[in-house]
Amino acid sequence: MTAGEHTDARRAWVPSALELERRAYRRSRTVRSAAIASISTIILVGVLGFVVTSSSGWPRVKETFFDWDKAVASFPAVLNGLWLNIRVLLVCSVLITALGLTIAVIRTLRGPVFFPLRLFGAAFTDLFRGLPLLLVLLLLGFGVPALGLDGVPQEAVFWGCAALVLSYSAYVAEVFRAGIESVHPSQRAAARSLGLTHTQSLRFVIVPQAIRRVLPPLLNDFVSLQKDSGLIAVLGVVDAIRAAQIETARDFNFTPYVVAGVLFVCLTIPMARFTDWVARKQGFQGGGLL
Amino acid sequence: MSLLSISGLRKSFGDNVVLDGFDMDVAPGECVVLIGASGSGKSTLLRCVNLLETVDDGVIELAGQDITDPRVNPDQVRARMGMVFQAYNLFPHLSVLDNIMLAPVRVHRRRARAEAATAAQEILERVGLADKARVRPDELSGGQQQRVAIARALVNSPELMLLDEVTSALDPELVGEVLDLLVSLKADGMTMVLATHEMAFAKEVADRVCFLHGGQIHEEGPPASLLTAPTRERTRAFLARFVGL
Ligand SMILES: Nc1ncnc2c1ncn2[C@@H]1O[C@H](COP(=O)(O)OP(=O)(O)OP(=O)(O)O)[C@@H](O)[C@H]1O
Ligand SMILES: [Mg+2]
């Protein structure tokens, strides 16, 4: 059969009555599921809302956490702070990806020459995965500037970013390493048999496949980084959280914190949806690999 | 002079001695088919020749050069051979064309990208897949993937082709596709060493069939005589399982 006949045969296809009936049934099931989901959600939210608002402390909580006027008043300052979080996030993401991938590749190098590098890679990941992020932030943010070394930056933002990059690179390196090791050894053999060097095999064959595989967990780490970027507030940097804190300090109304929280959630939702989308897309293709 | 000359080759994995004093010579343009029971070391031999394994002892010479010498750059040696694997081992993240172009562009840098693309397209035409250049390997049938793998090995103009059970994952019709391709390669004078369980292959393309047993060539000869009238007991027992020869 030629290609032309093939497409003609396809164009001529009309779904059978049986198939149409199956489709109609599937559609009706979809509508039914959606209806059940909406109704149960509305009931649950209604019950929760009623329980909360009818509690004795609600009027006070409403006043201190959900004051609309206060929210509107503090919004510009908090949003301004969030702009810093976003910039920190962008710069750190790039640095974390680069450092994480470098360490992952270092840890997969073979041969005795690379022993010191491998040791460094292992020590780095062990150390920074073990240390709480808050501790790294405090040590770097207050410790290093206190040394008063010449030529070393003094800005808190710089050290806040450094702490984020170090901690997150350790995680991201492990994600990359798992990806690199998940690529079947036969791929390496095939690359080497074509005459590619070890480095070329990594660069053109192994790492591209590894990155594709670990993209969903990697993006998940970056969603987590978005909110952890708020921790640099402990160094006195005026980010969204610190801005909210300043606003609160005037009248002990905590609404600005809620505003900051809502903004952070709004920031992470697109990223989280994007992660889901990538994961789903890969799920459909994943079966074809060796 | 022989193109490939193996003498006294030994290869073991732990206590398992797979090749033990293995000797073999392959003349230019010759097609040698390796047969033998599963685990007899056919793949191991091909991997040793391709320097994917380090040998325990013995010498492998390619066109007179000892390639087991640790001072030899293995990447340069591999670039002179083409190896095709049982499981195709195509790179799933690259299109068919990019799979074929990877080595010409990265290893044989003398080639410009456009030139490499032309060469890749020509070789795809030769294996009958010119219309599949842009698709990903996982959109191809097994026989098509294997022909791409052979094309990928051929595009470097290798002096020697090593083929490891290139049809064991294919149905009889697809085996025919690959067999036709190998017959035409042989007609062009390509030197090939081929491991297979497919006796039809041995009959069609082999100049010489070698039966591997006990880490050595137990018996060898032209396909007509070795396959139909083996002289040694072990060879006879192995071939008895393939009816209709
Ligand atoms: N990487 C390895 N590590 C340990 N043992 C191995 C390794 N590769 C092969 N072997 C062993 O070497 C022996 C020979 O294996 P080989 O793959 O060469 O056999 P084969 O003749 O190609 O078999 P088949 O026809 O099933 O492909 C087997 O006993 C196998 O277990
Ligand atoms: Mg094998």
Side-chain angles (χ1 to χ4, degrees):
Chain A
M1 197 200 272
T2 69
E5 277 170 338
H6 200 82
T7 38
D8 280 351
R10 243 185 228 170
R11 210 171 291 143
W13 175 64
V14 178
S16 67
L18 178 65
E19 173 60 19
L20 290 175
E21 194 267 334
R22 283 196 294 237
R23 286 184 196 174
Y25 177 73
R26 276 189 216 118
R27 236 185 338 263
S28 74
R29 297 304 287 189
T30 315
V31 171
R32 209 177 100 102
S33 317
I36 294 176
S38 327
I39 291 168
S40 62
T41 309
I42 289 167
I43 292 176
L44 187 67
V45 170
V47 169
L48 270 179
F50 177 76
V51 170
V52 171
T53 51
S54 62
S55 65
S56 61
W58 172 245
R60 254 190 75 80
V61 169
K62 184 172 179 240
E63 203 176 293
T64 44
F65 284 92
F66 302 101
D67 182 337
W68 180 251
D69 293 335
K70 179 75 185 172
V72 172
S74 63
F75 186 77
V78 177
L79 191 65
N80 206 19
L82 193 74
W83 173 229
L84 181 75
N85 291 91
I86 294 174
R87 281 177 298 168
V88 165
L89 183 71
L90 292 178
V91 172
C92 288
S93 303
V94 174
L95 295 176
I96 288 165
T97 308
L99 186 60
L101 188 57
T102 309
I103 287 168
V105 167
I106 281 177
R107 291 198 70 181
T108 56
L109 291 180
R110 313 218 189 290
V113 200
F114 299 113
F115 178 75
L117 278 178
R118 274 202 305 272
L119 189 70
F120 164 79
F124 180 91
T125 43
D126 282 355
L127 182 65
F128 286 103
R129 274 196 310 167
L131 279 178
L133 175 56
L134 192 57
L135 210 61
V136 180
L137 268 168
L138 294 173
L139 287 177
L140 285 183
F142 293 132
V144 181
L147 292 175
L149 291 172
D150 285 335
V152 171
Q154 299 287 315
E155 299 89 30
V157 186
F158 177 88
W159 292 108
C161 288
L164 285 173
V165 169
L166 290 174
S167 283
Y168 269 83
S169 295
Y171 279 103
V172 166
E174 286 303 281
V175 173
F176 275 131
R177 190 163 72 105
I180 287 173
E181 276 166 12
S182 79
V183 176
H184 197 272
S186 64
Q187 288 287 311
R188 211 180 92 84
R192 296 308 296 270
S193 83
L194 288 172
L196 268 66
T197 63
H198 178 85
T199 321
Q200 285 176 327
S201 309
L202 270 177
R203 175 159 162 224
F204 299 112
V205 176
I206 311 295
V207 170
Q209 292 184 51
I211 290 178
R212 257 158 256 244
R213 280 185 203 190
V214 299
L215 208 52
L218 205 60
L219 289 172
N220 193 40
D221 276 348
F222 286 122
V223 171
S224 170
L225 174 67
Q226 292 193 338
K227 60 186 168 60
D228 279 353
S229 71
L231 283 176
I232 60 172
V234 297
L235 300 181
V237 177
V238 186
D239 77 327
I241 293 182
R242 181 83 181 146
Q245 194 183 16
I246 293 168
E247 293 290 317
T248 341
R250 294 205 194 126
D251 51 7
F252 295 100
N253 184 309
F254 295 119
T255 307
Y257 281 135
V258 176
V259 171
V262 170
L263 285 176
F264 269 105
V265 172
C266 292
L267 191 63
T268 53
I269 282 178
M271 189 73 168
R273 285 294 80 75
F274 178 64
T275 307
D276 286 352
W277 180 78
V278 169
R280 212 163 340 110
K281 205 170 133 244
Q282 296 212 328
F284 284 118
Q285 297 177 337
L289 302 177
L290 268 167
Chain B
M1 195 182 65
S2 47
L3 179 69
L4 177 70
S5 168
I6 303 172
S7 55
L9 184 66
R10 184 192 148 94
K11 175 69 193 173
S12 60
F13 297 101
D15 291 339
N16 181 7
V17 183
V18 180
L19 298 172
D20 193 5
F22 187 96
D23 301 305
M24 186 170 84
D25 281 280
V26 181
E30 194 182 12
C31 176
V32 175
V33 167
L34 309 170
I35 60 171
S38 202
S40 57
K42 304 179 294 293
S43 303
T44 305
L45 176 68
L46 295 179
R47 292 174 61 88
C48 286
V49 173
N50 202 217
L51 302 183
L52 293 171
E53 306 281 356
T54 337
V55 305
D56 298 349
D57 206 348
V59 174
I60 305 174
E61 285 180 356
L62 180 67
Q65 183 193 15
D66 176 7
I67 57 172
T68 50
D69 186 332
R71 281 159 291 232
V72 167
N73 179 344
D75 299 318
Q76 279 168 10
V77 172
R78 291 193 196 102
R80 293 163 57 192
M81 307 183 212
M83 173 122 181
V84 185
F85 301 85
Q86 174 174 358
Y88 331 131
N89 298 8
L90 295 176
F91 305 132
H93 62 296
L94 299 177
S95 71
V96 164
L97 195 69
D98 288 335
N99 260 278
I100 297 174
M101 280 171 58
L102 184 62
V105 172
R106 299 298 165 190
V107 182
H108 308 258
R109 279 172 194 267
R110 58 183 187 272
R111 292 210 187 180
R113 224 189 142 73
E115 200 185 320
T118 319
Q121 197 63 48
E122 269 166 23
I123 216 112
L124 267 178
E125 230 145 87
R126 158 130 209 214
V127 300
L129 291 171
D131 54 329
K132 300 289 186 191
R134 294 275 152 223
V135 308
R136 291 288 162 99
D138 58 5
E139 294 168 39
L140 296 177
S141 76
Q144 293 170 333
Q145 291 193 44
Q146 194 56 285
R147 283 184 284 155
V148 172
I150 294 174
R152 184 175 70 178
L154 280 176
V155 76
N156 294 329
S157 317
E159 297 162 42
L160 172 69
M161 285 285 279
L162 307 168
L163 302 113
D164 190 3
E165 289 184 43
V166 290
T167 54
S168 64
L170 306 179
D171 73 35
E173 197 174 337
L174 299 180
V175 169
E177 281 180 9
V178 176
L179 184 57
D180 290 346
L181 179 57
L182 294 187
V183 169
S184 84
L185 274 182
K186 185 176 147 56
D188 290 353
M190 177 61 75
T191 315
M192 294 188 272
V193 181
L194 172 85
T196 189
H197 287 290
E198 196 86 45
M199 294 306 146
F201 251 72
K203 265 205 240 170
E204 289 269 347
V205 290
D207 293 310
R208 181 157 47 114
V209 180
C210 300
F211 173 64
L212 269 63
H213 177 65
Q216 298 187 341
I217 295 180
H218 192 66
E219 186 171 354
E220 63 179 322
S225 59
L226 186 106
L227 295 179
T228 48
T231 56
R232 300 187 71 169
E233 187 48 45
R234 194 67 199 74
T235 321
R236 217 172 294 146
F238 176 75
L239 288 171
R241 282 182 284 145
F242 297 90
V243 285
L245 272 169

